[in-house]
Amino acid sequence: AQSVTQLGSHVSVSEGALVLLRCNYSSSVPPYLFWYVQYPNQGLQLLLKYTTGATLVKGINGFEAEFKKSETSFHLTKPSAHMSDAAEYFCAVSSWGAQKLVFGQGTRLTINP
Amino acid sequence: EAGVAQSPRYKIIEKRQSVAFWCNPISGHATLYWYQQILGQGPKLLIQFQNNGVVDDSQLPKDRFSAERLKGVDSTLKIQPAKLEDSAVYLCASSPRDRTGGANVLTFGAGSRLTVL
């Protein structure tokens, strides 16, 4: 079975500061990894995904994530936070043939002016 | 392209009543998912359809929840009778026919928020 653990249900950073949201996964097979963002009263929107190949993945809005197999991690980063980044972020895992996403519990990101 | 449409956006019912949610996926998307998102938790898959066939309903509480996708397009999710613990946002998502072995990107609707009193 696959699972995802997001460390920290709530992260708060200042505008312009580094954003780091942590995600660790468990999978017995090579994983596909995703980050989704959810703004208030909206559905989830894909930020980025890793399937195979380059382990550093760039997504929308300046976000990126690095797949580290040895650490079973897929942490999400952004060099400089904007107020518009305030939202809930979800890490998710799938795998070849699995056809479904398993989500972590989410991390709420707050940006302080 | 139009997104995933869901209705109603909000519903308040008393426990033991019934409720139905409707989803219209992106045109041409073969796979449709219903997820339950309880406050403070990540989305949990309830049921997955490929065209009008069920692929996975292992986490669907079948004594009270039912879902159908009769013509392989839109879908309804029904809860009868509702319990207090069913209060959640019900998210519908769709994706193209899976030719990537599980790396498909899901497109989500805005969700239907259910409050059971």
Side-chain angles (χ1 to χ4, degrees):
Chain A
Q2 297 176 308
S3 66
V4 172
T5 300
Q6 292 184 238
L7 300 176
S9 59
H10 189 196
V11 170
S12 181
V13 303
S14 298
E15 191 173 18
L18 171 72
V19 174
L20 171 61
L21 304 183
R22 300 178 186 273
C23 171
N24 288 89
Y25 68 90
S26 173
S27 178
S28 58
V29 296
Y32 298 151
L33 294 159
F34 304 77
W35 276 99
Y36 279 81
V37 61
Q38 187 177 33
Y39 298 102
N41 298 315
Q42 296 185 27
L44 282 73
Q45 175 185 0
L46 180 72
L47 275 179
L48 48 80
K49 71 174 184 179
Y50 167 80
T51 53
T52 59
T55 57
L56 182 62
V57 180
K58 296 188 183 298
I60 62 172
N61 301 338
F63 284 94
E64 62 183 36
E66 186 170 12
F67 170 60
K68 292 187 176 181
K69 182 179 179 180
S70 61
E71 299 176 8
T72 61
S73 69
F74 191 57
H75 301 330
L76 181 72
T77 61
K78 181 174 180 177
S80 177
H82 295 165
M83 295 299 292
S84 61
D85 295 327
E88 186 108 23
Y89 292 80
F90 293 93
C91 182
V93 64
S94 181
S95 62
W96 197 95
Q99 296 192 64
K100 70 178 183 182
L101 285 180
V102 175
F103 285 88
Q105 74 273 30
T107 298
R108 181 169 299 277
L109 177 63
T110 301
I111 312 297
N112 302 313
Chain B
E1 63 180 2
V4 176
Q6 291 189 244
S7 67
R9 288 295 311 277
Y10 304 93
K11 189 74 175 179
I12 301 174
I13 61 173
E14 304 263 336
K15 60 183 179 183
R16 291 187 290 274
Q17 288 186 322
S18 63
V19 63
F21 302 113
W22 174 82
C23 172
N24 191 30
I26 290 175
S27 178
H29 278 193
T31 309
L32 185 148
Y33 312 78
W34 283 102
Y35 279 85
Q36 180 192 55
Q37 185 178 17
I38 293 173
L39 186 64
Q41 299 180 21
K44 181 184 81 171
L45 180 68
L46 291 176
I47 189 167
Q48 177 183 345
F49 293 95
Q50 179 82 15
N51 297 312
N52 60 350
V54 175
V55 174
D56 185 345
D57 63 356
S58 59
Q59 297 193 85
L60 185 74
K62 298 180 184 66
D63 58 334
R64 298 182 300 105
F65 286 65
S66 64
E68 60 183 12
R69 193 185 185 199
L70 292 175
K71 297 182 179 180
V73 180
D74 58 348
S75 175
T76 56
L77 175 71
K78 297 180 181 178
I79 308 174
Q80 181 179 8
K83 292 185 175 181
L84 296 177
E85 59 260 36
D86 299 331
S87 294
V89 176
Y90 292 86
L91 295 165
C92 180
S94 68
S95 67
R97 183 176 179 82
D98 188 3
R99 303 183 193 280
T100 64
N104 263 349
V105 173
L106 275 62
T107 302
F108 285 83
S112 295
R113 182 179 298 274
L114 173 65
T115 302
V116 182
L117 302 176

